[in-house]
Amino acid sequence: MTGGLHTVSDRTVHGQGGMVTAPHHLAAQAGLGVLQDGGNAVEATIAVAATLAVVYPHMTAIGGDGFWLVAEPGGQVHAIHGVGGAAQAANLDLYAGHQSVPTRGPLAANTVAGTLSAWEALLAGSGGSLPLERLLRDAIAHAEAGVPVTAGGAALALAKGDELRHQPGLYARVFEPQGRPLEVGDSLRQPLLAETLRRIAAEGPGSFYTGALASDVAADLAELGSPVSAADLAAHRATRPAPLSVMVREGRLFNTAPPTQGFASLLILALFDRFSPEVVDSFDHVHALVEATKQAFLLRDQHVGDPAWHDFDHQRLLDDPAALDELAARIDPAQALAWPQPPQWGDTCWFGAADGEGRVVSAIQSTYFEFGSGLVLPRTGIVWQNRGSSFRLAESGWNALKPGRKPFHTLNPALAKFADGRVMAYGTMGGEGQPQTQAALFTRYARFGVDLQAAISAPRWLLGRTWGDQTTTLKVEDGFDPALYAALAAAGHDVERAGPLTATMGHAGAIVRHPDGRLDGATDPRSDGAVAAW
């Protein structure tokens, strides 16, 4: 299937001039339009990110955080982290009487939103030619005119309405304008957000942190009771840490450094590389990945967080074959390790783009929970994240709340550079499920030669809790060989049948660039996504 805009199909989409994949078709279309107007893949992903903030506000917003991995035409891979730290006023005294940081409301809105700083850093080094007004054009138009509410958005608005509609700010006015949750087919209009995006287009993303827009954002947050101040916004900067990477038999894999769980995603695949199952989606394949996930998560939950607060050398471990061999030896090829461990939560949007120059981008941004903290800022219409609700109210230790500290992030965009010259951008939303879906997608495609779209569309599994789910079982979708479910249970896995394809397993996507410039793309039937190509 070649060219144009393709919603989910049973076949991989092909292109040559450029390609975008995103979990909403309007976002994919916005990115493709930028490529067709002479923009590059970095510029296309900014257009996608802005559009998703409008059309997928239950999953992402400009009031959240974002991470980018960019493979340049010359071969360099670099990262940009737009992740905010805790407000200076966000200390244990602020949460006196609380057992944990609330997940909704002003006290959940306790970190700076970093995604716009990532846009600013990306634009400064992108080599692009299009003005920001062009990159944000579609997002502004959709916010102003309105977009039809999707089934997924309507279901979440209904499910979460009771905990969101009474939060201070404009949630009820924006997302329940008729006095009820938005339904499929309703039009979601966000004129305040449209005006905010116009201001960003005119003043630049930096205005969100130090300009006139920052003054309005800070005033909104103060009036709603958030601890984030104008000084916190002004002190924020995007960072450019070196990506983590690991060699496997197919090539070199890349992911983002802490505070993201990119280390865990790479470690799963590095441990699986020490096994040689012969059949895709067999017991040996799935069991090895699930058990590698357990080993990776055990290390993640001890050693991944704000890098300013730990000294664990993640890259050194990934570069040490003997250490990886020792970890892999802990995996029993026939028996499951007892579980669960404490799970991690999170809602996200992954998206990717590739251009005709050879640039490939893997990107992800999020507000953490559905609609983040539930605060919709009165002057700007921005949905503010609740990423800082993951902090522990403790004096010390892993992810303990401290002013300025960055919270642990489930977000992690992935890239792979194959030995044969292919470059692959891939990822998904889904908290605990992100590393697991990445592993399923990559091994199906790279190890077993499964078609890219089929690798995403095929049934998946999930160990632990993720988006919209509370249990820590091994959830397995319908569609596998019936013998697999019994074999997993017999090996000691706590198998829970998840039914047909479900968004619980995330919204995945992928783009592969071949050495001759051909592009392959795929999106997830569990989403409202599309691949746009030309």
Side-chain angles (χ1 to χ4, degrees):
M1 199 178 288
T2 59
L5 179 72
H6 301 277
T7 53
V8 175
S9 72
D10 59 356
R11 287 183 290 171
T12 297
V13 175
H14 306 289
Q16 190 82 28
M19 180 174 285
V20 177
T21 182
H24 195 288
H25 63 94
L26 291 176
Q29 193 166 16
L32 179 63
V34 165
L35 292 175
Q36 291 174 325
D37 283 354
N40 63 31
V42 169
E43 293 173 305
T45 57
I46 291 173
V48 173
T51 303
L52 285 172
V54 172
V55 303
Y56 243 39
H58 52 295
M59 291 293 174
T60 188
I62 61 172
D65 288 339
F67 300 85
W68 266 254
L69 274 180
V70 182
E72 297 289 357
Q76 177 198 11
V77 177
H78 59 95
I80 291 179
H81 290 196
V83 52
Q88 289 302 306
N91 54 39
L92 294 181
D93 290 341
L94 181 67
Y95 295 94
H98 292 271
Q99 296 299 309
S100 60
V101 178
T103 57
R104 304 291 194 185
L107 293 183
N110 61 6
T111 61
V112 173
T115 200
L116 284 168
S117 70
W119 296 8
E120 183 177 41
L122 286 159
L123 290 170
S126 72
S129 59
L130 296 183
L132 187 55
E133 289 87 349
R134 172 61 190 90
L135 304 186
L136 304 188
R137 185 190 71 188
D138 288 21
I140 292 168
H142 293 314
E144 189 70 58
V147 294
V149 175
T150 65
L156 282 173
L158 178 63
K160 303 299 177 180
D162 288 346
E163 61 191 80
L164 293 170
R165 68 174 59 94
H166 301 299
Q167 298 299 337
L170 300 184
Y171 179 86
R173 177 173 140 187
V174 173
F175 298 110
E176 297 188 352
Q178 300 178 54
R180 56 161 176 78
L182 288 167
E183 298 176 352
V184 176
D186 285 345
S187 181
L188 171 61
R189 293 189 65 249
Q190 300 174 82
L192 277 175
L193 183 57
E195 180 56 31
T196 296
L197 291 169
R198 286 194 190 93
R199 294 175 66 181
I200 293 169
E203 301 166 13
S207 179
F208 183 86
Y209 300 100
T210 58
L213 179 56
S215 298
D216 285 345
V217 169
D220 275 346
L221 290 168
E223 289 174 11
L224 298 181
S226 164
V228 177
S229 69
D232 294 319
L233 294 172
H236 173 77
R237 301 290 186 277
T239 59
R240 296 176 176 269
L244 297 177
S245 68
V246 70
M247 283 296 300
V248 296
R249 66 187 71 180
E250 294 84 10
R252 181 165 289 276
L253 311 180
F254 297 85
N255 214 303
T256 44
T260 80
Q261 65 173 338
F263 168 69
S265 293
L266 294 176
L267 187 56
I268 291 168
L269 289 167
L271 298 183
F272 178 79
D273 198 50
R274 275 121 178 103
F275 295 83
S276 298
E278 296 181 354
V279 179
V280 67
D281 292 342
S282 63
F283 171 82
D284 289 342
H285 177 201
V286 176
H287 173 78
L289 282 176
V290 172
E291 294 306 296
T293 297
K294 293 175 181 177
Q295 295 298 326
F297 282 4
L298 288 170
L299 275 178
R300 179 201 67 182
D301 293 346
Q302 298 177 62
H303 300 300
V304 175
D306 187 338
W309 294 79
H310 68 74
D311 58 3
F312 188 84
D313 192 336
H314 304 87
Q315 189 59 59
R316 181 177 179 180
L317 188 151
L318 292 169
D319 287 340
D320 186 343
L324 295 173
D325 289 344
E326 191 278 328
L327 285 170
R330 300 178 187 180
I331 295 173
D332 186 329
Q335 190 66 33
L337 178 70
W339 209 251
Q341 295 292 321
Q344 306 296 333
W345 191 258
D347 294 339
T348 307
C349 283
W350 179 89
F351 43 100
D355 59 36
E357 297 176 349
R359 193 175 288 102
V360 180
V361 182
S362 181
I364 195 164
Q365 65 179 27
S366 171
T367 53
Y368 198 32
F369 281 25
E370 309 93 339
F371 301 101
S373 64
L375 299 190
V376 180
L377 306 192
R379 292 172 177 82
T380 60
I382 296 171
V383 175
W384 204 267
Q385 66 182 356
N386 67 330
R387 180 63 60 175
S389 66
S390 69
F391 282 123
R392 295 169 53 248
L393 295 182
E395 290 288 349
S396 61
W398 179 82
N399 210 39
L401 176 66
K402 299 289 181 183
R405 189 172 191 169
K406 296 175 181 177
F408 167 78
H409 263 274
T410 53
L411 306 188
N412 66 114
L415 274 170
K417 296 181 72 174
F418 289 80
D420 64 8
R422 285 174 293 165
V423 179
M424 178 180 183
Y426 61 106
T428 183
M429 66 85 152
E432 293 274 80
Q434 289 185 44
Q436 301 179 66
T437 292
Q438 287 183 19
L441 193 171
F442 181 82
T443 57
R444 284 170 172 166
Y445 173 78
R447 176 74 70 88
F448 296 104
V450 174
D451 172 79
L452 189 63
Q453 182 61 59
I456 291 175
S457 298
R460 296 201 288 262
W461 63 89
L462 170 71
L463 175 70
R465 186 181 73 175
T466 188
W467 176 74
D469 193 90
Q470 297 289 336
T471 62
T472 55
T473 55
L474 177 63
K475 286 163 277 294
V476 188
E477 288 181 320
D478 292 347
F480 287 100
D481 184 328
L484 176 65
Y485 306 96
L488 290 170
H493 294 284
D494 185 10
V495 176
E496 177 184 346
R497 295 291 292 267
L501 301 189
T502 169
T504 297
M505 300 293 168
H507 296 164
I511 291 176
V512 175
R513 185 182 189 276
H514 295 267
D516 63 2
R518 288 180 296 117
L519 299 169
D520 298 334
T523 191
D524 204 322
R526 301 163 184 83
S527 75
D528 303 296
V531 178
W534 65 299

